[in-house]
Amino acid sequence: MSTKLRAAIVGSTGYGGVELIRLLLTHPNVAITSVISSSSAGAPIADGFPHLNQIMTDTLDAVDVELIRGKADVVFLATPHGVAAELAPKFLDAGMKVIDISGDFRLTSGEVYEKWYKHKPADPAYVEKAVYGLCEVFGEEVRGAEFISNPGCFPTATLLGLAPLAAKGWIDLKSIIVDAKSGVSGAGRGLSLSSHFSEINENFLAYKVNKHQHTPEIEQVLGRLAGEEVVMTFTTHLVPMTRGILSTIYVNLNATRSEDEIRELYRSYYEGRRFVRIREQGKYPATKEVTGSNYCDIGMSLDPRTGRLTVISVIDNVVKGAAGQAVQNLNLLMGWDEATGLAFTPVYP
Amino acid sequence: MSTKLRAAIVGSTGYGGVELIRLLLTHPNVAITSVISSSSAGAPIADGFPHLNQIMTDTLDAVDVELIRGKADVVFLATPHGVAAELAPKFLDAGMKVIDISGDFRLTSGEVYEKWYKHKPADPAYVEKAVYGLCEVFGEEVRGAEFISNPGCFPTATLLGLAPLAAKGWIDLKSIIVDAKSGVSGAGRGLSLSSHFSEINENFLAYKVNKHQHTPEIEQVLGRLAGEEVVMTFTTHLVPMTRGILSTIYVNLNATRSEDEIRELYRSYYEGRRFVRIREQGKYPATKEVTGSNYCDIGMSLDPRTGRLTVISVIDNVVKGAAGQAVQNLNLLMGWDEATGLAFTPVYP
Amino acid sequence: MSTKLRAAIVGSTGYGGVELIRLLLTHPNVAITSVISSSSAGAPIADGFPHLNQIMTDTLDAVDVELIRGKADVVFLATPHGVAAELAPKFLDAGMKVIDISGDFRLTSGEVYEKWYKHKPADPAYVEKAVYGLCEVFGEEVRGAEFISNPGCFPTATLLGLAPLAAKGWIDLKSIIVDAKSGVSGAGRGLSLSSHFSEINENFLAYKVNKHQHTPEIEQVLGRLAGEEVVMTFTTHLVPMTRGILSTIYVNLNATRSEDEIRELYRSYYEGRRFVRIREQGKYPATKEVTGSNYCDIGMSLDPRTGRLTVISVIDNVVKGAAGQAVQNLNLLMGWDEATGLAFTPVYP
Amino acid sequence: MSTKLRAAIVGSTGYGGVELIRLLLTHPNVAITSVISSSSAGAPIADGFPHLNQIMTDTLDAVDVELIRGKADVVFLATPHGVAAELAPKFLDAGMKVIDISGDFRLTSGEVYEKWYKHKPADPAYVEKAVYGLCEVFGEEVRGAEFISNPGCFPTATLLGLAPLAAKGWIDLKSIIVDAKSGVSGAGRGLSLSSHFSEINENFLAYKVNKHQHTPEIEQVLGRLAGEEVVMTFTTHLVPMTRGILSTIYVNLNATRSEDEIRELYRSYYEGRRFVRIREQGKYPATKEVTGSNYCDIGMSLDPRTGRLTVISVIDNVVKGAAGQAVQNLNLLMGWDEATGLAFTPVYP
């Protein structure tokens, strides 16, 4: 194409923002025209991120809607929650396309948002405009949208692992248990004892048990797919590695099915969708098999002893769980092939 | 005491055996008089384990029942399964006390053993003699026993996390789901691609889904405690760390109880047992909090939304999950305080 | 371009081979037409490497020179040493271009090869034909060559860190000490206790002290650049991480120079070479800053107290230290821009 | 013994302090009677360190010299530098024995201290009183002392690796290069981006090149042993692991010696000292071989090609590099066996 779409990234000094930079730098249709950081405005981005030396020489811009509007057509918000709630309406009102990676516009109910996020919810008028960008499930709604709310990392892995069953109505919706595990980059770049190397290395732990803010997001989408309310059990764990999420999902079927039948359902549900890969019987995906890529790999096992189905779903939390899916959403929104700029192989080993 | 109990360790060049050496070297009532390895007999043990330089100068003995019987009063079997099935009867017949760390004598049914271990089961006459050494649950049976079958690592973490509820009959036995995670040392010292550093580092994966040989062991003990057959869902995962197991256990209660009531049940069930520690409300144990020690730490959360209970139980798989519990069993069997030689603090960080 | 260069990869099931696949799959001018493995011929490559599922559906070919000659124009040898010595002459004689990643054709002296590799050296007639492909130093010789011997991982990091000084004659050649550290993937995919997770995780160690086979390779090239024989001290260490090499290089200058003067020398020596990046004063590169990329980043410090210069040089051992530089060599050899297919950003974090 | 020595630990919430607790809890002659923290006074120590649950129920005391003097006979200072400079004189004046783990009293010259630490030096009158507690070298001075300055972690590994040669005068003192590597716990429990998990995991880097504050400490002690001033090159690196230091030390000999002769010198220099272990020819210690223990293991290689000697020395930085050596100093100071309470085996794997 002759002219590239101009993209701005707010929150360029977090892990989601810096991964957006990595992905967009080799995107054939996009030019990054502004990288923005409230905390480090004025400094060259490569100062804080030496891996960008001689690759990106830009200086960080301040969060200035007018300025950014003049430089870019689309803005990615890779900010902590609370911040996007403030910024997204301004960029939308200025006529820009907005892709928000935060959790601020994912929950349709402000009340639910406030309960789980312990934060004032965003303006409902804008919440209503946001299209939930789980590409393989709601891709049709994304095409031509102006405002995308990018799914959370745990919801992406979990929902892709459950969507076919929920949509088809094959499961007992009261039986859902999700045991999720994440690498530490999911906690972001902000300092805390729970991301301190010596505390987390050679350690494994559960956190926010029954309290994680991604719970209502998963429930809302499952409910939408199933056509009735869903309440589930959700536990998150921290793995001593940087990237990767694995969700182990337990469900009871509501009728007798064979594992083959279920696998076939998944294959047909995701037909033509490059980034979801279903494993053969007896094979389960490992997080390393998707590292650095936009893939979501899924395996499953139906236990004849219990009649319970176990689904294993993995993603790279920084790619498919954040920046990669955001780019995939941009592709869909612009009418491009969804894999544009994302068609690379996982980094292995 | 004037004379020490003489102990032999078969399988001294595996992780379980070498940890037994570490623990017994500072045990006040025990002297290690023979370290045995079928593969390296004749070599000084410190050749393969330089951390033992100048600490243990012994040469490895061959597996020679007569020889060992002459040198020791008790023998620990830290061998692969299949091997203990052969050796334990010989040592018992020679009049020695035997503590078997392998899985060969844990399952009462040879048929079940063969199904899950894909191995010929041990002689049932000896299986019957074995006392299952889950110290905090069956400690009374261990006192004065001659032959201990030491529990598996996953069963130890899981059963200590479920025993009070199963024994009290407070749970729906059909609802049990155990999502277990282990450090890589659980796979032993034998070489395999699934323990190869570059494959496992920065990786997280599920394995043996619905097929792990510890499943029937957990079910058998739960069934014994509950007084009826138990069938459960069990998934094991590999964590990129060396030591530690965390079991996340999901159960439905069969009557309305408060979380406090349940916590109180655990506290009273484990009263006086030094190595089980129950966390306060809202606190969940991390594997690092027990590293290098014989503790099993347990936290729990009852979700009012689903009525489901989540129990988190952690151990060091090499200590409480193998060598440490074996020493604890020796202590009980000999009538010593169960913490003799084990009363040290976890290594942190 | 209308037709792509057809490439074959021998040793596709090692880490070097599988990384070549990753890089060449997105190379605009190359098509992989044969992936070859002596051990797994006949199996789909994705069976052993699930990260390639639905990306590469090829079945592994056997090592059959005729067959490969019919399918490809260039062959990459990512084989253990000893094997390339046998194969390279055959492919060359069949008229193919050969890029050898092994150490078999790097040393000009068969005697030296035999001393350090403990192996029979390759046919000297072919050793003579091989161009040593350290791209930023000998790029001119690579252009138009038929047979490239790709540098070793430690030599790449070390030589790029020393080449400007050696070529310029600014250092005391007797003073060179190289203290090198590598991630574990450098040891390959073959099983050994020294790559066993539980042995290497949370561990740091030196190996092959004064005995590493990359020593004469570094000395040979430094000698060639300096115009006189070089003998140096070289120590290799294993870091508990998968990818990355860092060389800390100590040299005495043979005349008084300022640090700025030396940094300027490096900048001008590498002018126009995209993949070498020189850090500012007081900044030193970390291996993570080049992970997954073809960069070699270099920092330096001249200590006024001792007059000694310390140079820090980092690469990703699997990319710039193996597969990436092999692709860079292909680019130079074919007369393409050296960054073709390699112009991506390091994966961070 | 009938009554135990009463010990207080200032800085109990840092890694050095919490390790002192671990070690002293099983010390037969010592009772911990006060754990002190300026930041968390009043809270039970197990709140912040759940691994101490039911092991230590003490509440943290404030830094109150009178109070501590009433409760304890000896005080360990495990505080950041600058703090010990203030506190040590007060405790000494109050008649207590003091063992300082910080760097405040190690350097005899205030000027040198200020240059490297960028801090006001301690009162020289007290600096003069401090005995430098490198146990295997200056143990005689420690016996009966009142005030010990515990060596730094890098100095301990490095000096034990060089002391025999420096004392014997066998090396060219201008030739010393120390390439040191440390696990991340050496950076303490304070939060910083350079201890942030996602930044450091799968990463290796050099830091404070030619600027580390342990440089003058090593030089001072080497100078004292050699009888002349020493200036050396010192580089520190961060290893993605929690515990462990490995120093690779390069020196030129000042006369022709065999490696055996040198190894014999080390063996005789450390004769009778339990915690230094010299490896056989061709064997080099790994950090994991001393983890959790007070050992310092040393290997060496004399390269006939260069005439240069390479010494490899490893310790656990938290034990022999801090808390363990502090306890060893206490033992010596009190006239007890130096291994009292420290005679345990490294934790492996």
Side-chain angles (χ1 to χ4, degrees), chain A residues 36-279:
Chain A
I36 297 132
S37 163
S38 57
S39 57
S40 310
I45 186 162
D47 276 10
F49 295 93
H51 73 286
L52 293 176
N53 264 324
Q54 296 175 32
I55 296 177
M56 177 169 255
T57 53
D58 302 42
T59 291
L60 289 157
D61 286 328
V63 185
D64 174 336
V65 175
E66 275 310 292
L67 174 86
I68 297 166
R69 205 294 153 252
K71 290 173 104 173
D73 309 305
V74 60
V75 62
F76 291 89
L77 301 179
T79 56
H81 45 75
V83 178
E86 297 293 320
L87 290 179
K90 295 179 185 167
F91 286 114
L92 287 166
D93 290 353
M96 297 183 74
K97 294 177 198 307
V98 175
I99 298 177
D100 175 26
I101 297 187
S102 88
D104 283 354
F105 294 91
R106 295 181 197 146
L107 298 177
T108 52
S109 155
E111 201 182 339
V112 172
Y113 178 90
E114 198 155 0
K115 177 183 163 198
W116 291 85
Y117 281 82
K118 318 285 178 204
H119 240 271
K120 200 170 141 287
D123 180 342
Y126 289 88
V127 172
E128 218 167 90
K129 289 184 188 174
V131 172
Y132 186 73
L134 186 64
C135 302
E136 284 78 9
V137 176
F138 303 115
E140 284 313 306
E141 296 180 23
V142 173
R143 285 178 208 283
E146 292 294 310
F147 179 24
I148 305 294
S149 177
N150 210 55
C153 51
F154 286 121
T156 295
T158 304
L159 289 168
L160 291 177
L162 273 175
L165 292 170
K168 190 77 170 185
W170 282 8
I171 48 174
D172 171 359
L173 294 172
K174 291 194 175 3
S175 73
I176 305 171
I177 295 177
V178 177
D179 192 284
K181 301 88 175 173
S182 175
V184 185
S185 63
R189 206 166 184 239
L191 302 181
S192 88
L193 205 53
S194 60
S195 302
H196 195 60
F197 185 90
S198 300
E199 301 286 321
I200 295 308
N201 180 45
E202 271 292 289
N203 198 0
F204 186 86
L205 57 109
Y207 66 101
K208 294 193 188 173
V209 180
N210 289 324
K211 302 236 185 280
H212 198 286
Q213 72 276 9
H214 285 169
T215 309
E217 180 180 342
I218 299 170
E219 290 177 346
Q220 172 180 300
V221 178
L222 288 178
R224 188 176 155 195
L225 291 172
E228 57 179 289
E229 208 189 341
V230 171
V231 179
M232 60 159 197
T233 293
F234 183 55
T235 317
T236 47
H237 303 79
L238 203 57
V239 185
M241 63 183 187
T242 302
R243 287 175 179 239
I245 278 181
L246 184 146
S247 262
T248 310
I249 304 164
Y250 302 96
V251 288
N252 294 334
L253 301 179
N254 54 15
T256 306
R257 314 268 175 199
S258 73
E259 194 182 301
D260 280 352
E261 214 176 337
I262 298 166
R263 183 170 285 104
E264 210 36 61
L265 171 67
Y266 277 70
R267 291 223 164 103
S268 85
Y269 189 88
Y270 292 119
E271 195 168 10
R273 306 315 294 259
R274 173 191 188 118
F275 292 121
V276 175
R277 303 187 292 191
I278 309 300
R279 286 284 188 285

Side-chain angles (χ1 to χ4, degrees), chain B residues 131-314:
Chain B
V131 172
Y132 186 74
L134 186 64
C135 302
E136 284 78 8
V137 176
F138 303 115
E140 284 313 305
E141 297 179 23
V142 173
R143 286 178 207 284
E146 293 295 310
F147 180 22
I148 305 293
S149 177
N150 210 55
C153 51
F154 287 121
T156 296
T158 304
L159 289 168
L160 291 178
L162 272 175
L165 292 171
K168 190 78 171 185
W170 282 8
I171 49 175
D172 171 359
L173 295 172
K174 291 195 177 0
S175 73
I176 305 172
I177 295 177
V178 178
D179 191 284
K181 300 88 176 174
S182 175
V184 185
S185 63
R189 207 168 183 237
L191 302 182
S192 87
L193 205 54
S194 60
S195 302
H196 195 61
F197 185 89
S198 301
E199 301 286 320
I200 295 307
N201 181 44
E202 272 291 290
N203 197 1
F204 186 86
L205 56 109
Y207 67 101
K208 293 191 189 174
V209 180
N210 289 325
K211 300 235 184 283
H212 199 286
Q213 72 277 7
H214 285 169
T215 310
E217 181 180 343
I218 299 170
E219 289 177 346
Q220 172 181 301
V221 178
L222 288 179
R224 188 176 154 195
L225 291 172
E228 56 179 289
E229 210 190 339
V230 171
V231 178
M232 61 160 197
T233 293
F234 182 54
T235 316
T236 46
H237 302 79
L238 204 57
V239 185
M241 62 184 187
T242 302
R243 288 175 178 240
I245 278 180
L246 184 146
S247 263
T248 311
I249 304 164
Y250 302 96
V251 288
N252 293 335
L253 301 179
N254 55 16
T256 305
R257 313 270 174 197
S258 73
E259 193 182 301
D260 280 353
E261 214 175 339
I262 298 166
R263 183 170 285 106
E264 209 36 62
L265 170 67
Y266 276 69
R267 291 222 164 106
S268 83
Y269 189 88
Y270 291 120
E271 194 167 11
R273 306 314 294 259
R274 174 193 186 115
F275 292 121
V276 175
R277 303 187 293 190
I278 309 299
R279 287 282 188 284
E280 299 293 332
Q281 201 196 352
K283 305 283 184 187
Y284 308 97
T287 62
K288 198 187 264 289
E289 291 161 13
V290 299
T291 297
S293 83
N294 201 48
Y295 288 95
C296 174
D297 286 9
I298 297 170
M300 64 195 67
S301 168
L302 179 60
D303 187 359
R305 300 168 65 250
T306 60
R308 205 173 274 132
L309 180 73
T310 304
V311 180
I312 310 277
S313 173
V314 305

Side-chain angles (χ1 to χ4, degrees), chain A residues 299-321:
Chain A
M300 65 195 65
S301 169
L302 180 60
D303 187 359
R305 301 168 65 250
T306 61
R308 204 172 274 132
L309 180 73
T310 304
V311 180
I312 311 278
S313 173
V314 305
I315 59 169
D316 180 323
N317 59 306
V318 194
V319 189
K320 184 62 175 169

Side-chain angles (χ1 to χ4, degrees), chain C residues 199 202 219 242 305 348, chain D residues 179 199 202 219 242 305 348:
Chain C
E199 301 287 319
E202 272 292 289
E219 289 177 348
T242 302
R305 301 168 66 251
Y348 192 97
Chain D
D179 191 284
E199 302 287 319
E202 272 291 289
E219 290 176 346
T242 303
R305 301 167 66 249
Y348 191 95

Side-chain angles (χ1 to χ4, degrees), chain B residues 332-344:
Chain B
L332 290 173
L333 178 156
M334 297 297 295
W336 304 329
D337 183 295
E338 72 177 337
T340 313
L342 295 171
F344 40 74

